[in-house]
Structure formats: structure tokens, C-alpha cells
Amino acid sequence: AAGADDGGGGDGAPDAGDAFAPLRPALIFFGLVDKLQSILKDPRPYQPAEAGAAPGAWVARLAQRLRQHDQAVLSELASLLAEYEAELLTMADLDEAFDVLGLTALALEAGSSVSEFVARAKSAG
């Protein structure tokens, strides 16, 4: 059948679902790492950012956070697991994935659609 073996919808163009399938694991991984970075490194009300901190100061701040605020971190990690199950695992296409990851605006700055952005990124390679 036409388009059956070319990954397209019969017109030779790649289907958006076909473009998403190989990227899905990487997008899920990116989402998890991004959220972990936020939970472990970003300032929190119980531990605000230090003005003028050295570039590697986050390591000491993280150690302190884990020692003194372990329950708060565990709570945030539980929320991350819930978000992983509810949002990251259920992403069905590129548009939804970029929306969940907060990257839609970035993609639209560089192209007219998320699919176009991904296609340009793949071709730049």
C-alpha cells in the first residue's frame, strides 16, 4: 500500500506519529532529568538561593538540603513520580510532549510548528 513502508501517510511525507515514536524515550528521559534538576538544585522557600554563590556551590546546598529537608525532597520526588505516570508516560505526540515539557514556545520561536522544529533539528543533525 502507498505510504506503508515509507513512514508516511500515503503522500511520502513522514507522519507526525512516526516522528514521535523514536523520540519518545529521549523526551521522557529529558523530562525526568529536567524535573530532578529542578527538585534538587532550584531554590526553595525553606532554602533560598544564596547571592553571589560560587558555580559549584550547588553541591554543598544539595547536601544540606538532603540532610535537613529530606522529607520535603521526598514529597517532591513523590510528586515527580505521579507526574511521570500521569503526564510523561501518556504523551501521545510531539505537540503534547513539548507542551508537557514546557518547550512549545521555544519550538514555535524557531518554526511554525513543533513538527517543523523537530524536522529542522533532525536535518541539522
Side-chain angles (χ1 to χ4, degrees), residues 52-63:
W58 70 268
V59 176
R61 200 169 51 252
L62 174 58

Side-chain angles (χ1 to χ4, degrees), residues 31-51:
L32 282 173
V33 170
D34 185 53
K35 299 294 183 185
L36 279 170
Q37 292 262 350
S38 175
I39 289 170
L40 297 174
K41 289 184 174 180
D42 288 353
R44 293 291 184 264
Y46 55 82
Q47 189 184 31
E50 299 170 10

Side-chain angles (χ1 to χ4, degrees), residues 14-122:
D15 186 354
D18 292 341
F20 177 66
L23 297 175
R24 186 175 185 271
L27 290 169
I28 290 172
F29 180 75
F30 173 82
L32 282 173
V33 170
D34 185 53
K35 299 294 183 185
L36 279 170
Q37 292 262 350
S38 175
I39 289 170
L40 297 174
K41 289 184 174 180
D42 288 353
R44 293 291 184 264
Y46 55 82
Q47 189 184 31
E50 299 170 10
W58 70 268
V59 176
R61 200 169 51 252
L62 174 58
Q64 180 185 20
R65 180 178 294 181
L66 293 175
R67 275 193 307 273
Q68 297 177 356
H69 306 285
D70 59 328
Q71 293 304 310
V73 173
L74 287 174
S75 175
E76 288 186 75
L77 291 173
S79 297
L80 171 62
L81 180 58
E83 184 178 338
Y84 169 74
E85 292 174 337
E87 293 185 17
L88 294 176
L89 286 181
T90 60
M91 296 185 304
D93 59 39
L94 285 170
D95 291 321
E96 182 180 3
F98 273 62
D99 185 45
V100 167
L101 298 173
L103 299 173
T104 302
L106 177 71
L108 295 179
E109 285 176 12
S112 62
S113 70
V114 171
S115 297
E116 179 185 327
F117 173 77
V118 171
R120 284 184 181 179
K122 287 171 85 174

